[in-house]
Amino acid sequence: MKKADKCISCGKGLIEKGSTTFICPTCDTIIGRCNSCREQNVKYNCLECGFIGS
Ligand SMILES: [Zn+2]
Ligand SMILES: [Zn+2]
């Protein structure tokens, strides 16, 4: 699987450990999130389909 290179919520590069890459549940787009957005449960918004998750 390809890895996202930016956090979808804050746009930071995914260089920290604890960052994650996963697939949008509804449209299979690759989504990346950084460690701090995960810890703070920042919502993400899929750019392709508008899916909102946290
Ligand atoms: Zn982030
Ligand atoms: Zn999506």
Side-chain angles (χ1 to χ4, degrees):
M1 181 173 113
K2 255 175 44 173
K3 285 194 79 183
D5 52 13
K6 279 199 288 187
C7 171
I8 197 165
S9 301
C10 68
K12 221 161 66 172
L14 295 183
I15 45 168
E16 317 174 337
K17 53 178 197 187
S19 63
T20 187
T21 299
F22 58 96
I23 304 283
C24 173
T26 64
C27 76
D28 293 341
T29 295
I30 293 170
I31 293 175
R33 290 180 93 203
C34 72
N35 190 37
S36 46
C37 288
R38 286 178 66 202
E39 278 182 354
Q40 293 164 49
N41 275 320
V42 175
K43 291 201 174 13
Y44 64 87
N45 195 335
C46 175
L47 299 175
E48 291 298 319
C49 70
F51 177 84
I52 296 173
S54 61

